[in-house]
């Protein structure tokens, strides 16, 4: 009994000291409660201030003895063979990265596999993955595994850099577009229901928080890379509230970056402009579904799905994969897949881990093979096999310096 | 329907008669022409509702009327205006004369309409769509020889569901900062559009129909759409049916558009893909489009904007409206006239002598029209 009295007295005495910290703790959970004359008012913080983040627990980097550990999810189709090539190349180039391989069986109905994969990525912070097949004839409660991964880890930004490569023959030249796509909400919320037999509704969710977040990410990236213009792609003339909110958030963030020009374009006009004059675009920012369409169109314009890497960034995690997320079932295990996209994705991963020297070495070798040696696989009009391309890259790396193992 | 059959028979008779006449009565040229004229006068004249539209609408409609006259097509035009008026009960509707005319004639040709901002009423295109239940938007995209684009072998048709899907307009503000937009897919609408797509494929000698979807993510809604397409495909075994993801279609479309034939899809994907395909062949200034509605109503239109900056200056390009009118002729069964006008139009573009500014030349609209009229008349 008197312990509680003592505790009360202690807390009262220490309140001036503890009070400040208690106030901060309340803010960490996303809402600051201000009591004004007994009536609580809530303010939701849409941007986490860095001072608050310092109090947060950020997972430590999975780095021990100078070697990083990265989760590897082979996926289906061409994923396993391409990721094997990545591992081979890393071992050959003595890159200090170890892989924790997690297999996900796309045909099983339980979510254990994907949960294990998500746990592995939480442990390691970084992952490299192949695409996991989604059988769309399964019932609606069997969600897309890739989508589950993205939403659980809150990988809100998908970044894709489309660049025309001089060695690849395409209809359009001099394309250099960065596409930033909101990765977690929009049409991919997977919230559907059948109200009446024969009438199905699917919800598209747009929130202010996520729109501000992705717009902020886009402008920061544009500034970092010295880009001059950001174009928001939308359909706000028809979806006035949803895309209207997205556009409004983009405009708000744009006002904070006066050095970067901001304009917007309707998605159907955008696709028309992309196939006639793609050189006019610089950085493009859009919600989920339009991002899917536009990123595939751009990938097609620069030479196909085998050439472009993609990256999914969240606040704490990063997952790297090919930009167009194809499973490539029809060309699996035939040694004809183009390894460029997956290898460039692994270079993006090395950049993220701050192993820039290794990243530049491998990227240089890939681009030399593509542009000078002109060793192309079938999808870009050549006759090379996957292993020939990888061997060529390894030879170029070896000729570049002493730090390699035996081929 | 009988009218069309009679028309078709009469048309073949006329063409047969004219070819025989030109051969036999070659010396008496003027006499043969009189004979053909009298035969033509026997063809029933079809009345078509013409909605000139705003901006460059009136001048391109005049151009099309001139060309049709030169081609002696059995079409009579009934011009109507569709500015929205407030009907009884406060609901916005199109003028009753326009509705009456459309219901009577069943076929319409429409120029570009201005989208009103803050006029209080919804867009005119939306009103027309709702009034006549225009459920299918058909856009055939064929590469035009003579108008060079990076893509030279495009020959596909996009058929887009026009009434529901993502454009149902049902949106809510849930809480401050969270908005939801509802995408509606119904069995009835999906079945109707699938049936139209297969009918179109069969009637126009197309080999395959591809359903475009995103059922891996939107399992129930696009799943329902796909199921209906599959069911309808069972009744049309002569047409090949495939399904493809939206992203794969986009990826392959910009690399090799020749692999696609007829594409059928819900509203949003259709909007994006049909504009993508229009971009492949040269833009909205040369793309025809048709809207098919319930009860046999069909409105053919040009999908470009009103271009107010060049309105009234005789600089407009009537190709889009002309090709839509040709599509209309084919829909009505007047294949001979359709072919004649289309060939004349493509020849003019190929020659590159009298192109309007957007096609790369610097001639006037009237000169372009006159050239096509001349070619059409020379073909007789």
């Amino acid at each position: 009994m008197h312990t509680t009295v003592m505790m009360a007295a202690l807390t009262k005495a220490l309140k001036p000291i503890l009070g400040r910290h208690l106030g901060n703790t309340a803010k960490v959970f996303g809402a600051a409660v201000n009591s004004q004359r007994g009536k609580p008012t809530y303010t939701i913080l849409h941007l986490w201030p860095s001072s608050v983040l310092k109090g947060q627990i950020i997972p430590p980097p999975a780095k021990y003895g100078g070697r990083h550990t990265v989760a590897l999810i082979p996926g289906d189709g061409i994923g396993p063979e391409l990721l094997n090539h990545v591992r081979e190349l890393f071992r050959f180039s003595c890159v200090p990265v170890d892989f924790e391989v997690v297999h996900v069986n796309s045909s099983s109905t339980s979510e254990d596999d994907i949960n294990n994969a998500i746990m592995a990525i939480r442990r390691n912070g970084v992952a490299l993955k192949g695409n996991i097949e989604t059988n769309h004839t399964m019932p609606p409660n069997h969600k897309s595994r890739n989508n589950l991964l993205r939403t659980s880890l809150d990988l809100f930004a998908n970044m894709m850099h489309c660049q025309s490569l001089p060695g690849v023959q395409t209809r359009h030249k001099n394309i250099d577009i960065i596409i930033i796509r909101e990765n977690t909400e929009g049409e991919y919320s997977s919230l559907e229901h059948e109200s009446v037999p024969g009438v199905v509704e699917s919800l598209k969710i747009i929130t202010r928080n996520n729109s501000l977040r992705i717009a902020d990410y886009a402008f920061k990236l544009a500034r970092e890379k010295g880009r001059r213009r950001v174009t928001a792609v939308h359909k706000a003339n028809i979806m006035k509230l949803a895309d209207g909110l997205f556009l409004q958030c983009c405009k708000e963030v744009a006002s904070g970056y006066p050095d970067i020009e901001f304009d917007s374009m309707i998605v159907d006009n955008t696709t028309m402009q992309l196939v006639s004059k793609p050189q006019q675009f610089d950085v493009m920012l859009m919600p989920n579904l339009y991002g899917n369409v536009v990123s595939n169109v751009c990938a097609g314009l620069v030479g196909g799905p085998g050439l472009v890497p993609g990256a999914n960034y969240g606040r704490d995690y990063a997952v790297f994969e090919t930009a167009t997320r194809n499973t490539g079932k029809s060309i699996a295990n035939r040694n004809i897949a183009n390894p460029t996209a997956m290898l460039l994705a692994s270079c993006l991963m090395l950049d993220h881990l701050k192993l820039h020297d290794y990243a530049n070495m491998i990227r240089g070798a890939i681009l030399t093979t593509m542009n000078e040696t002109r060793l192309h696989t079938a999808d870009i009009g050549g006759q090379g096999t996957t292993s020939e391309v990888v061997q060529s890259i390894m030879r170029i790396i070896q000729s570049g310096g002493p730090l390699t193992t035996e081929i | 329907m009988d009218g069309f059959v009679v028309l078709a028979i009469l048309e073949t008779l006329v063409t047969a008669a004219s070819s025989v006449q030109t051969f036999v009565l070659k010396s008496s040229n003027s006499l043969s022409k009189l004979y053909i004229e009298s035969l033509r006068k026997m063809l029933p004249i079809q009345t078509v509702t013409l909605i000139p539209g705003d901006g460059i609408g009136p001048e391109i409609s005049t151009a099309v009327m001139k060309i049709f006259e030169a081609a002696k097509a059995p079409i009579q035009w009934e011009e109507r205006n569709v500015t929205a008026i407030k009907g009884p009960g406060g609901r916005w509707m199109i003028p009753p004369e326009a509705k009456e005319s459309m219901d009577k004639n069943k076929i319409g040709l429409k120029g570009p309409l201005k989208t009103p901002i803050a006029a209080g009423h919804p867009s005119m295109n939306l009103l027309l769509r709702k009034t006549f239940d225009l459920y299918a938007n058909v856009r055939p995209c064929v590469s035009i020889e003579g108008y060079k684009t990076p893509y030279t072998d495009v020959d596909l048709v996009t058929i887009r569901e026009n009434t529901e899907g993502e454009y149902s307009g049902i949106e809510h503000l849930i809480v401050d900062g969270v908005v939801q937009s509802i995408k509606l897919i119904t069995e009835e609408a999906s079945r109707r559009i699938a049936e139209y797509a297969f009918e179109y494929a069969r009637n126009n000698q197309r080999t395959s129909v591809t359903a475009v979807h995103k059922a891996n993510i939107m399992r129930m809604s696009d799943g329902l759409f796909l199921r209906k397409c599959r069911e309808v495909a069972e009744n049309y075994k002569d047409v090949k049916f495939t399904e493809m993801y939206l992203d794969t279609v986009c990826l392959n479309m910009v690399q090799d558009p020749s692999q696609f034939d007829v594409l059928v899809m819900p509203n949003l994907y259709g909007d994006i893909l049909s504009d993508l395909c229009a971009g492949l062949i040269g833009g909205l200034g040369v793309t025809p489009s048709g809207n098919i509605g319930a009860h046999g109503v069909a409105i053919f239109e040009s999908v470009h904007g009103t271009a107010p900056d060049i309105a009234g200056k005789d600089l407009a390009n009537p190709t889009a409206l002309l090709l839509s009118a040709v599509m209309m002729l084919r829909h009505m069964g007047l294949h001979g006239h359709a072919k004649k006008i289309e060939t004349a139009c493509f020849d003019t573009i190929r020659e590159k002598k009298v192109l309007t500014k957007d096609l790369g030349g610097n001639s006037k609209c009237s000169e372009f029209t006159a050239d096509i009229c001349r070619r059409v008349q020379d073909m007789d």
Side-chain angles (χ1 to χ4, degrees):
Chain A
M1 161 80 187
H2 69 274
T3 36
T4 37
V5 172
M6 213 172 79
M7 283 308 295
L10 203 63
T11 339
K12 225 179 192 163
L14 290 172
K15 207 176 165 86
I17 310 163
L18 285 174
R20 192 167 43 88
H21 293 286
L22 283 171
N24 274 350
T25 323
K27 276 198 193 136
V28 164
F29 291 100
V33 182
N34 304 314
S35 315
Q36 283 180 330
R37 299 224 223 122
K39 202 172 72 165
T41 54
Y42 293 87
T43 48
I44 311 283
L45 297 174
H46 61 249
L47 289 169
W48 299 83
S50 54
S51 55
V52 170
L53 276 179
K54 283 185 190 125
Q56 274 277 289
I57 298 168
I58 298 180
K63 184 175 175 183
Y64 187 72
R67 295 187 68 85
H68 292 84
T69 313
V70 165
L72 187 82
I73 301 163
D76 302 306
I78 51 172
E81 74 180 89
L82 291 182
L83 289 170
N84 276 339
H85 285 300
V86 170
R87 271 194 283 184
E88 206 183 304
L89 187 65
F90 275 24
R91 196 182 51 82
F92 174 80
S93 322
C94 298
V95 176
V97 169
D98 293 316
F99 289 106
E100 183 189 339
V101 183
V102 188
H103 291 279
V104 176
N105 187 357
S106 53
S107 45
S108 82
T109 46
S110 88
E111 296 197 350
D112 288 341
D113 274 353
I114 192 66
N115 286 335
N116 285 340
I118 293 170
M119 194 59 68
I121 302 174
R122 282 194 214 274
R123 258 200 303 277
N124 299 311
V126 179
L128 189 59
K129 82 182 253 292
N131 198 40
I132 305 167
E133 176 89 29
T134 308
N135 185 355
H136 63 261
T137 53
M138 298 273 246
N141 57 355
H142 182 264
K143 298 201 193 319
S144 156
R145 302 292 181 240
N146 303 303
N147 205 20
L148 263 179
L149 208 141
R150 289 193 290 265
T151 46
S152 318
L153 297 170
D154 199 23
L155 301 169
F156 63 89
N158 179 303
M159 202 273 288
M160 176 179 153
H161 188 183
C162 286
Q163 258 180 320
S164 286
L165 296 172
V168 181
Q169 187 72 303
T170 52
R171 288 185 175 93
H172 306 270
K173 313 257 176 265
N174 298 325
I175 300 175
D176 191 359
I177 307 175
I178 294 183
I179 297 173
I180 295 165
R181 159 189 177 186
E182 212 290 328
N183 220 2
T184 48
E185 54 173 24
E187 296 83 348
Y188 287 34
S189 322
S190 302
L191 295 164
E192 297 179 301
H193 47 269
E194 189 162 9
S195 334
V196 171
V199 177
V200 176
E201 283 186 344
S202 170
L203 301 180
K204 164 180 166 163
I205 311 281
I206 300 276
T207 55
R208 200 177 154 70
N209 289 1
N210 288 346
S211 306
L212 284 171
R213 193 168 61 163
I214 192 70
D216 201 49
Y217 177 85
F219 278 91
K220 276 212 178 69
L221 191 76
R223 188 175 264 177
E224 222 176 278
K225 302 227 172 196
R227 295 285 182 153
R228 245 163 273 127
R229 202 171 85 235
V230 172
T231 309
V233 177
H234 65 94
K235 189 86 191 163
N237 52 345
I238 306 282
M239 289 189 256
K240 298 189 172 76
L241 280 184
D243 284 348
L245 177 61
F246 180 78
L247 199 57
Q248 194 193 351
C249 294
C250 293
K251 283 195 183 123
E252 268 177 44
V253 174
S255 58
Y257 292 82
D259 51 327
I260 299 176
E261 208 185 304
F262 171 74
D263 59 356
S264 62
M265 202 183 258
I266 302 186
V267 61
D268 41 12
N269 190 18
T270 309
T271 46
M272 227 186 318
Q273 297 292 325
L274 274 172
V275 290
S276 42
K277 245 180 0 149
Q279 295 82 4
Q280 60 179 293
F281 294 106
D282 196 359
V283 177
M284 296 170 81
L285 164 66
M286 56 205 94
N288 219 330
L289 185 67
Y290 313 144
N292 190 340
V293 172
V294 170
S295 57
N296 276 277
V297 170
C298 289
L301 290 174
V302 297
L307 294 178
V308 194
N312 303 292
Y313 294 106
R315 198 193 60 187
D316 307 317
Y317 311 107
V319 175
F320 299 89
E321 54 178 352
T322 61
T324 47
R325 303 171 179 165
N326 299 96
T327 340
K329 262 192 318 203
S330 53
I331 53 171
N333 298 321
R334 283 164 56 186
N335 205 14
I336 51 172
N338 194 339
T340 312
M342 196 57 90
L343 291 171
L344 285 174
S346 60
C347 292
L348 285 177
M349 182 189 76
L350 291 173
D351 273 326
H352 183 83
L353 294 171
K354 312 246 190 296
L355 296 168
H356 298 294
D357 294 333
Y358 292 100
N360 291 331
M361 178 175 77
I362 298 176
R363 194 176 294 132
I366 298 170
L367 293 177
T368 312
T369 310
M370 181 67 54
N371 301 328
E372 283 163 44
T373 326
R374 306 275 168 130
L375 181 60
H376 293 167
T377 44
D379 60 319
I380 40 179
Q383 266 111 25
T385 61
T386 319
S387 30
E388 274 173 29
V389 174
V390 177
Q391 293 284 337
S392 160
I393 296 170
M394 293 207 265
R395 260 198 304 273
I396 296 170
I397 292 176
Q398 188 170 53
S399 62
L403 199 68
T404 49
T405 61
E406 296 297 307
I407 293 186
Chain B
M1 269 320 287
D2 311 18
F4 283 115
V5 174
V6 171
L7 203 64
I9 294 171
L10 276 172
E11 223 211 340
T12 34
L13 276 176
V14 167
T15 17
S18 67
S19 54
V20 164
Q21 287 300 317
T22 35
F23 179 68
V24 170
L25 297 171
K26 216 169 178 182
S27 49
S28 48
N29 212 2
S30 51
L31 198 63
S32 66
K33 274 213 167 90
L34 265 169
Y35 187 73
I36 296 163
E37 274 306 305
S38 58
L39 274 176
R40 281 230 173 84
K41 284 199 168 76
M42 282 164 57
L43 281 171
I45 308 268
Q46 292 251 304
T47 323
V48 168
T49 310
L50 175 69
I51 301 164
D54 309 306
I56 54 172
E59 25 188 319
I60 55 176
S61 308
T62 328
V64 170
M65 285 200 281
K66 263 197 217 140
I67 296 170
F68 268 51
E69 209 183 296
K72 302 198 185 63
I75 304 280
Q76 189 181 290
W77 305 99
E78 210 172 81
E79 270 191 51
R80 289 285 179 268
N81 190 2
V82 289
T83 325
I85 57 167
K86 224 170 188 171
R91 245 174 4 133
W92 289 99
M93 53 184 236
I94 64 171
E97 314 84 62
K99 183 163 191 319
E100 226 177 276
S101 166
M102 248 342 274
D103 284 333
K104 181 167 57 89
N105 300 326
K106 299 282 184 201
I107 310 280
L109 185 67
K110 177 175 90 65
L113 290 173
K114 199 165 52 182
T115 309
I117 304 173
H121 63 80
S123 88
M124 287 318 307
N125 292 316
L126 186 63
L127 261 181
L128 276 171
R129 204 173 300 145
K130 286 239 150 73
T131 317
F132 300 109
D133 195 18
L134 302 172
Y135 65 89
N137 180 298
V138 183
R139 217 181 266 194
C141 295
V142 182
S143 281
I144 297 178
E145 216 185 304
Y147 188 41
K148 196 112 184 21
T149 58
Y151 301 89
T152 49
D153 45 2
V154 184
D155 184 7
L156 51 90
V157 181
T158 54
I159 299 182
R160 155 194 176 190
E161 208 288 325
N162 223 357
T163 55
E164 52 172 31
E166 296 81 350
Y167 294 178
S168 41
I170 311 170
E171 294 186 293
H172 313 105
L173 178 71
I174 317 247
V175 284
D176 191 26
V178 179
V179 176
Q180 89 180 9
S181 169
I182 296 188
K183 163 180 165 161
L184 197 65
I185 300 276
T186 54
E187 218 174 89
E188 182 56 40
S190 308
R191 192 187 45 80
R192 199 163 57 158
I193 191 73
E195 263 175 20
Y196 180 76
F198 280 95
E199 272 302 319
Y200 183 91
R202 195 179 260 176
N203 294 341
N204 290 278
Q205 289 85 44
R206 292 280 176 172
T207 44
S208 72
V209 171
T210 307
V212 180
H213 65 96
K214 258 216 98 53
N216 50 347
I217 304 288
M218 289 179 261
R219 201 69 56 78
M220 280 175 93
S221 30
D222 283 350
L224 175 61
F225 179 79
L226 264 188
R227 260 202 319 277
K228 285 291 139 201
C229 289
R230 278 190 208 130
E231 276 173 31
V232 173
E234 295 293 314
N235 300 334
Y236 291 83
K237 291 284 189 196
D238 49 331
V239 179
K240 192 170 101 148
F241 175 68
T242 46
E243 336 176 326
M244 216 186 234
Y245 287 136
L246 174 67
D247 39 5
T248 317
V249 171
C250 288
L251 191 58
N252 293 342
M253 183 74 78
V254 289
Q255 293 184 282
D256 180 23
S258 59
Q259 57 184 290
F260 296 107
D261 196 359
V262 177
L263 298 164
V264 64
M265 57 210 117
N267 217 333
L268 177 68
Y269 314 150
D271 192 8
I272 301 177
L273 272 182
S274 57
D275 278 357
L276 180 67
C277 299
L280 294 177
I281 61 168
L284 295 178
V286 293
T287 312
S289 169
N291 297 299
I292 312 295
H295 312 298
V297 172
I299 302 184
F300 297 86
E301 60 176 355
S302 59
V303 283
H304 53 74
T306 51
D309 46 338
I310 56 169
K313 296 189 187 156
D314 199 19
L315 294 171
N317 179 3
T319 310
L321 193 62
L322 186 62
L323 289 177
S324 306
V326 165
M327 214 175 135
M328 178 187 79
L329 285 174
R330 290 216 163 93
H331 185 261
M332 289 160 58
L334 296 166
H335 295 281
H337 290 92
K339 190 95 190 94
K340 206 161 55 169
I341 299 173
E342 194 185 51
T343 320
C345 182
F346 286 163
D347 283 345
T348 309
I349 297 178
R350 196 183 311 126
E351 295 282 305
K352 295 197 206 222
K353 288 208 190 96
V354 272
L355 296 179
T356 49
K357 192 142 172 279
D358 62 315
L359 291 174
N362 49 15
S363 303
K364 290 184 177 293
C365 173
S366 41
E367 289 169 14
F368 184 74
T369 317
D371 198 63
I372 300 181
C373 291
R374 187 181 54 79
R375 277 179 206 277
V376 164
Q377 278 161 343
D378 286 344
M379 274 189 215
D380 273 340

